[in-house]
Amino acid sequence: MDLMELDPVVEAALYKPLQMNKFRLALLQPGDQHAPISVYLVNASINSYPEYDAISYVWGSAHHVVPLSCDGISTNVTFNLHCALARIRLPDRPRLVWADALCINQNDRMERSQQVALMGRIYSSARFVFACMGNDPDGRSAEVASLLGDYGPILARPRGSTDILQVWRQGATPDKDHRWRSLRAVLGLGWFRRAWVLQEIGLAKNPRVVYGSAEFSYRDLMATVRFIRTFAADFAAKAGIGAFLIHTQWVDWSESWAATSAHGQCRFVDLLDHGALLDCQDPRDRVYAFLGHPLARAFGDIKPDYTVEKLEVYKKVSMLLLQDAGLRVLSSVEHSATTIDENFPSWVIRWDIGFVLNNIYTHPNTKYRAHIGQPIKPPEIQHDVLQVSGVGVDAVEAVFMIQIISESMKIIFQVAFTAV
């Protein structure tokens, strides 16, 4: 969760301490598109609450702020949040909403920790979760909504994919439908790079995308993107229809997620691996942003705590993952030239460093297993030293830096270390 500093006087006036299992909602006052925005904060219980909607958005720059009225006090919020509130505001009646930057005192670490722990229930309890993506840069949001309106209901049927492919075989191929190319702009928006949105949308009962002048189902969007990238991959590539694997394959965060997911055999370490490409300002959120998934709930010891330093969070989680998934967790360990020399256990996963290009364990059922399925002794950790048993089969003679040239799709290996 990104941070935005509040004036101490404003902070003291707006935020009174919350009791256990309480959270704030913002009563968004009605108005037309250009009217000033006004909200009033109200407290609710996570066990008993009025009907409300939640907002999922990209915070944007903390230096690009716009004032609104909160409890009658002029308060700065990021430009993106201001736009999101203006977009979902009703013209004739108030709307009760939850938006993290307004409803959580971001300057209070203890409150942030407590509220982040409740966020899964806050998003799953909302009537709608609106993914506010901003304006459509190409002006084609209506085409996106039209495309999803045609394909979404069909793909929701048991044989929907088969029915569409049959129509395509009769000549109505996707290259003849200009609406497909309108997906490129929306999928390239910054919202899809934000780590927290996976939980916000995955736990939602009814996630909706607000994009330009259009509104449509997020799950219809992901089902349609997954379909075109599966059955017309060449066309999708030429049309620029790309999406992070974690968005198309980890859509459902409900308790029954494994029944419909291609990653039903995955562990929590795999989810964190797939999410490592996403952005967040606080490096601890590379773990905390995924705690709402059922895979994480088995780790009862992991609680959001912003008073704990980043590396201590990573070490604790790495230890739990080693106990859960064994030594394959080490495939996720990556270092920079700086971190490898730090006085900290090298076996700890550093989720804030780049991304892993050589992780052969992106799926737990892969055939690359040195132990060929035989039982292995669980790793032990004593005084921060990871102790493992194994058989020496070879020695590393050279280490290479990997560079990808996107224009030509070439991969260059440059020697970074050679054993003496």
Side-chain angles (χ1 to χ4, degrees), residues 220-233:
D220 282 352
L221 173 63
M222 288 299 100
T224 303
V225 171
R226 188 165 55 246
F227 171 79
I228 193 69
R229 286 173 58 84
T230 301
F231 294 101

Side-chain angles (χ1 to χ4, degrees), residues 87 134-151 177-186 189 208-217 221:
R87 179 65 174 81
N135 293 325
D136 47 346
D138 59 355
R140 301 178 69 179
S141 60
E143 293 181 46
V144 176
S146 172
L147 180 74
L148 301 182
D150 288 346
Y151 280 85
D177 187 342
H178 63 86
R179 296 176 301 171
W180 283 106
R181 298 183 184 276
S182 66
L183 292 177
R184 177 175 183 170
V186 63
L189 293 174
R208 306 286 299 172
V209 175
V210 177
Y211 173 55
S213 61
E215 179 183 325
F216 45 83
S217 164
L221 173 63

Side-chain angles (χ1 to χ4, degrees), residues 58-76:
V58 177
W59 272 53
S61 172
H63 302 291
H64 189 189
V65 296
V66 183
L68 55 71
S69 174
C70 184
D71 287 353
I73 301 171
S74 180
T75 307
N76 285 334

Side-chain angles (χ1 to χ4, degrees), residues 128-348:
F128 297 110
V129 173
F130 291 105
C132 296
M133 299 192 182
N135 293 325
D136 47 346
D138 59 355
R140 301 178 69 179
S141 60
E143 293 181 46
V144 176
S146 172
L147 180 74
L148 301 182
D150 288 346
Y151 280 85
I154 300 175
L155 291 171
R157 302 198 302 246
R159 290 178 49 84
S161 297
T162 302
D163 294 341
I164 294 174
L165 292 174
Q166 184 175 356
V167 172
W168 283 5
R169 282 192 288 269
Q170 295 172 358
T173 52
D175 58 300
K176 298 178 181 178
D177 187 342
H178 63 86
R179 296 176 301 171
W180 283 106
R181 298 183 184 276
S182 66
L183 292 177
R184 177 175 183 170
V186 63
L187 294 172
L189 293 174
W191 183 91
F192 287 95
R193 296 198 62 89
R194 183 171 173 259
W196 278 103
V197 302
L198 268 298
Q199 172 180 260
E200 297 164 0
I201 290 296
L203 292 172
K205 290 184 289 190
N206 192 350
R208 306 286 299 172
V209 175
V210 177
Y211 173 55
S213 61
E215 179 183 325
F216 45 83
S217 164
Y218 172 80
R219 293 188 176 126
D220 282 352
L221 173 63
M222 288 299 100
T224 303
V225 171
R226 188 165 55 246
F227 171 79
I228 193 69
R229 286 173 58 84
T230 301
F231 294 101
D234 289 345
F235 168 76
K238 293 177 182 177
I241 304 174
F244 287 117
L245 174 69
I246 196 167
H247 279 287
T248 57
Q249 300 298 327
W250 296 86
V251 177
D252 182 6
W253 282 38
S254 69
E255 293 295 339
S256 59
W257 73 278
T260 58
S261 174
H263 300 280
Q265 300 300 315
C266 284
R267 302 292 184 93
F268 189 41
V269 64
D270 303 302
L271 175 59
L272 294 178
D273 244 7
H274 290 177
L277 290 175
L278 302 178
D279 297 333
C280 53
Q281 190 169 19
D282 192 315
R284 291 166 290 199
D285 287 339
R286 295 193 177 279
V287 173
Y288 295 163
F290 300 96
L291 293 182
H293 195 278
L295 282 172
R297 295 172 201 162
F299 299 93
D301 290 337
I302 307 177
K303 302 290 185 184
D305 188 346
Y306 290 96
T307 65
V308 179
E309 292 299 321
K310 171 193 71 175
L311 290 182
E312 292 301 320
V313 173
Y314 288 177
K315 183 171 75 171
K316 179 178 181 179
V317 175
S318 296
M319 292 172 66
L320 292 172
L321 294 177
L322 282 164
Q323 296 171 14
D324 176 63
L327 291 178
R328 76 178 184 88
V329 168
L330 299 181
S331 296
S332 298
V333 176
E334 187 176 20
H335 281 283
S336 67
T338 301
T339 62
I340 194 64
D341 291 328
E342 290 179 352
N343 185 25
F344 202 78
S346 62
W347 50 265
V348 172

Side-chain angles (χ1 to χ4, degrees), residues 103-115:
C103 298
I104 299 176
N105 183 356
Q106 300 293 331
N107 294 337
D108 185 332
R109 288 190 176 186
M110 291 299 296
E111 179 175 307
R112 282 179 65 209
S113 301
Q114 294 167 357
Q115 292 295 292

